[in-house]
Amino acid sequence: MSDMDVCSEVRDAGDLGARLKLVRKIYGISQRQLARQAGVTNATVSFIEQGRVSPSVGSLEKILNSVPMSLAEFFSLELVEPEQIFFRANEMPDIGNGRVFCHLLGGSRQVRAMTILRKVFPAGQDTGSGQLLLNGEVGGIVIAGELEVTAGSEFALLEEGDGYYLNARRPHRFRNPGSIDCVVFSAVAATPSSNIPCASRPNESFYKG
């Protein structure tokens, strides 16, 4: 079959297979979709990805043109998995301290410029007796319940739909004075020197802004 002609001009089958699989993941298409777009059989794409065959240069170009992607772009791809961008609720680790639940969005990401948390304060719970400090900014919106926020000498009782945004170097703390859970969506944009919570250390002291 011409789609499966072995050609010394292209790299080894294992390398090609890994690259083609990465192309599909980048563009979010299945083997069947790629095969249909390229006008080849589903088995052709499957065998290439498994490293069982090497396509000819012409066949590879035909497949890539359907994406579209050039041969130069194809061979310059770094063989790394694309970072996850969607997260289900059960994929958000709880990095809380046992009193407050803090579910971290994007916990699998190795590098982050911000921290996004879904925080749940059970009735009567707070972030502790001491006030929090961090280099950066913090903000949040109350989704349900009530949240008592103290920032330096200022105080406010926030209800559903209310929010806060402050310089995290300002001493602050949070408490749920109500009788039901308080749910807050919070974002932390910290400087590189700040101690952003890490999902791999869920039991350590962490910043709860």
Side-chain angles (χ1 to χ4, degrees):
M1 185 181 297
S2 60
D3 290 330
M4 299 183 182
D5 291 339
V6 176
C7 179
S8 61
E9 294 181 61
V10 295
R11 302 188 181 187
D12 67 87
D15 179 81
L16 285 173
R19 289 177 184 277
L20 190 58
K21 187 179 296 185
L22 180 57
V23 168
R24 283 198 305 100
K25 288 189 176 182
I26 290 173
Y27 285 89
I29 56 178
S30 66
Q31 287 184 347
R32 192 172 300 278
Q33 287 175 302
L34 179 59
R36 184 169 59 249
Q37 290 172 197
V40 300
T41 66
N42 187 52
T44 297
V45 176
S46 178
F47 288 165
I48 293 172
E49 290 191 1
Q50 293 174 46
R52 294 173 61 181
V53 297
S54 290
S56 66
V57 172
S59 295
L60 180 59
E61 282 188 307
K62 180 181 180 181
I63 293 172
L64 294 177
N65 285 340
S66 71
V67 178
M69 176 179 284
S70 69
L71 282 172
E73 291 172 321
F74 179 75
F75 285 115
S76 65
L77 286 173
E78 292 186 18
L79 293 179
V80 295
E81 291 290 323
E83 287 191 316
Q84 184 177 357
I85 58 174
F86 302 111
F87 298 85
R88 302 299 179 185
N90 61 3
E91 297 176 307
M92 300 181 197
D94 177 18
I95 59 171
N97 60 359
R99 298 190 306 272
V100 178
F101 302 99
C102 293
H103 299 281
L104 176 65
L105 177 62
S108 62
R109 296 180 74 94
Q110 298 299 309
V111 178
R112 68 181 70 252
M114 62 180 177
T115 299
I116 301 175
L117 300 166
R118 179 182 182 272
K119 302 189 295 185
V120 180
F121 295 79
Q125 292 293 347
D126 58 33
T127 52
S129 57
Q131 293 195 330
L132 305 167
L133 292 169
L134 184 72
N135 291 324
E137 296 180 321
V138 299
I141 297 175
V142 178
I143 304 302
E146 298 178 326
L147 184 67
E148 185 182 276
V149 182
T150 302
S153 60
E154 295 188 53
F155 167 87
L157 179 62
L158 305 181
E159 300 178 336
E160 183 178 334
D162 297 337
Y164 60 89
Y165 189 117
L166 56 94
N167 186 319
R169 291 179 62 86
R170 187 173 187 175
H172 55 285
R173 67 188 295 265
F174 304 98
R175 186 176 77 89
N176 176 8
S179 57
I180 63 171
D181 287 353
C182 174
V183 181
V184 178
F185 277 103
S186 174
V188 182
T191 60
S193 61
S194 300
N195 182 28
I196 294 296
C198 175
S200 64
R201 302 191 301 271
N203 296 319
E204 289 189 9
S205 165
F206 72 103
Y207 178 71
K208 313 171 197 67

